[in-house]
Amino acid sequence: MELGFHVPIFDIDGGTTAIAGELARVGAAAEASGATWLSFMDHYFQIEPTGLPAEANMLEGYTTLGYLAAHTSRVDLGLLVTGVTYRHPGLLAKIVTTLDVLSGGRAVLGIGAAWFEREHHGLGVPYPSTAERFERLEETLRICRQMWDPQNNGPFDGKYYQLAETLCSPQPINRPKVLIGGGGERKTLRLVAQYGDACNLFGSSPADVEHKLDVLRRHCDDVGRNYDDIRKTIIADNPRPSPENRDEFVRQMADYAKLGIATVIVTPTTGSPAAWIDGMAPAVQQLAELG
């Protein structure tokens, strides 16, 4: 089992002018720990589950990843997860391609159907129905797949998106893996089975995750996909791990490892995330020993 870090809070000790330096230290700390994943959120406003108000600091995700690409050399980089409504899919594929090229082939496309209605209305971004957002998500997955096919620069004619050309030059160094976030059993996990290289679930309990994986397996059977080809990841949040309870956290992860969870992602929620990551670093080797 591998460890990843997801940084959702930008209210950094020292204020706004300290953010850039602290994020550079986050990248260095993540790589020094041996972690394999580093991510940020894709939001315009801060979200309530962090315990902070919408007015708290929030950075644009792909700009932040571009900055981290220059301050890291090994760890995979992605957003957990991009809201499908936030960027036109052709532009999204180009942005992720750019991140991949400039990071030396380390970009991951984390994507989901989007959910935070307030920030859409706040900044004037259309917020269609849930059904439409999922239809747009599927078209976006198909467009990204076509954009990353160097043999297919042709048009895309969908219900919501029409592209005269899917030209993407340069192509990514490594075709970005597609991580689809969420555990919706009817739509999200079907899209994982059909289009995803990885899924991301909430680590609410081993029983809950086992059920979601059983649903994913059935969807894989339905679409003729090899279930074992999909990387399974979770966000650990029950309880939220910290350096103080690190050993207990590792013990709790053993049950998830038995389910085939390959990566567990943890979230520093302090104003000094680099130091928090340093405190969690021993968990990398401890989790690796779980298998």
Side-chain angles (χ1 to χ4, degrees):
M1 178 179 276
E2 297 176 356
L3 185 66
F5 293 107
H6 175 68
V7 180
I9 290 176
F10 299 102
D11 290 277
I12 298 300
D13 295 344
T16 301
T17 58
I19 293 175
E22 180 66 14
L23 291 183
R25 288 187 288 274
V26 161
E31 294 208 319
S33 76
T36 56
W37 169 265
L38 179 61
S39 61
F40 302 93
M41 297 197 297
D42 195 18
H43 285 291
Y44 308 140
F45 301 164
Q46 185 55 271
I47 61 173
E48 290 183 359
T50 64
L52 296 175
E55 293 79 7
N57 289 343
M58 180 53 58
L59 298 183
E60 195 282 319
Y62 283 107
T63 308
T64 306
L65 289 177
Y67 177 77
L68 265 296
H71 289 278
T72 56
S73 60
R74 299 185 304 276
V75 69
D76 287 344
L77 300 170
L79 297 184
L80 200 61
V81 291
T82 285
V84 71
T85 51
Y86 296 161
R87 299 165 190 82
H88 189 285
L91 175 60
L92 175 63
K94 188 67 175 179
I95 291 170
V96 176
T97 298
T98 301
L99 175 65
D100 191 76
V101 169
L102 297 183
S103 67
R106 295 182 287 128
V108 175
L109 172 59
I111 193 164
W115 61 272
F116 192 12
E117 186 172 1
R118 175 178 173 178
E119 65 186 357
H120 287 76
H121 294 319
L123 295 189
V125 177
Y127 187 70
S129 68
T130 300
E132 181 176 327
R133 296 199 310 278
F134 273 97
E135 290 176 349
R136 288 178 178 271
L137 176 57
E138 183 159 9
E139 285 195 15
T140 296
L141 291 165
R142 291 169 54 203
I143 289 167
C144 288
R145 177 179 287 183
Q146 186 167 325
M147 291 278 287
W148 293 330
D149 178 357
Q151 305 305 315
N152 187 355
N153 295 335
F156 179 90
D157 187 19
K159 179 178 179 180
Y160 299 103
Y161 303 111
Q162 294 79 43
L163 285 70
E165 298 179 85
T166 50
L167 178 64
C168 186
S169 183
Q171 282 284 297
I173 294 173
N174 296 316
R175 185 188 71 81
K177 300 295 186 184
V178 175
L179 180 153
I180 299 174
E185 297 180 14
R186 188 167 64 89
K187 294 182 178 180
T188 303
L189 293 178
R190 178 189 67 80
L191 292 175
V192 172
Q194 194 161 358
Y195 300 100
D197 299 295
C199 66
N200 183 254
L201 303 169
F202 287 108
S204 49
S205 75
D208 288 345
V209 170
E210 183 176 22
H211 170 71
K212 298 294 185 183
L213 294 178
D214 286 343
V215 173
L216 175 59
R217 189 185 295 273
R218 292 196 295 271
H219 282 303
C220 287
D221 290 342
D222 289 342
V223 301
R225 179 78 183 279
N226 186 345
Y227 169 84
D228 293 331
D229 288 345
I230 297 171
R231 187 173 185 85
K232 291 83 176 176
T233 75
I234 62 168
I235 296 179
D237 61 354
N238 184 32
R240 187 182 298 275
S242 70
E244 291 72 30
N245 68 4
R246 185 184 63 234
D247 292 342
E248 176 59 24
F249 155 70
V250 172
R251 285 192 290 271
Q252 291 174 339
M253 292 304 102
D255 288 337
Y256 292 103
K258 293 174 184 176
L259 297 175
I261 298 300
T263 304
V264 55
I265 299 169
V266 298
T267 57
T269 56
T270 73
S272 299
W276 191 98
I277 290 170
D278 287 338
M280 288 295 293
V284 172
Q285 182 58 39
Q286 292 172 296
L287 290 171
E289 293 170 359
L290 296 178

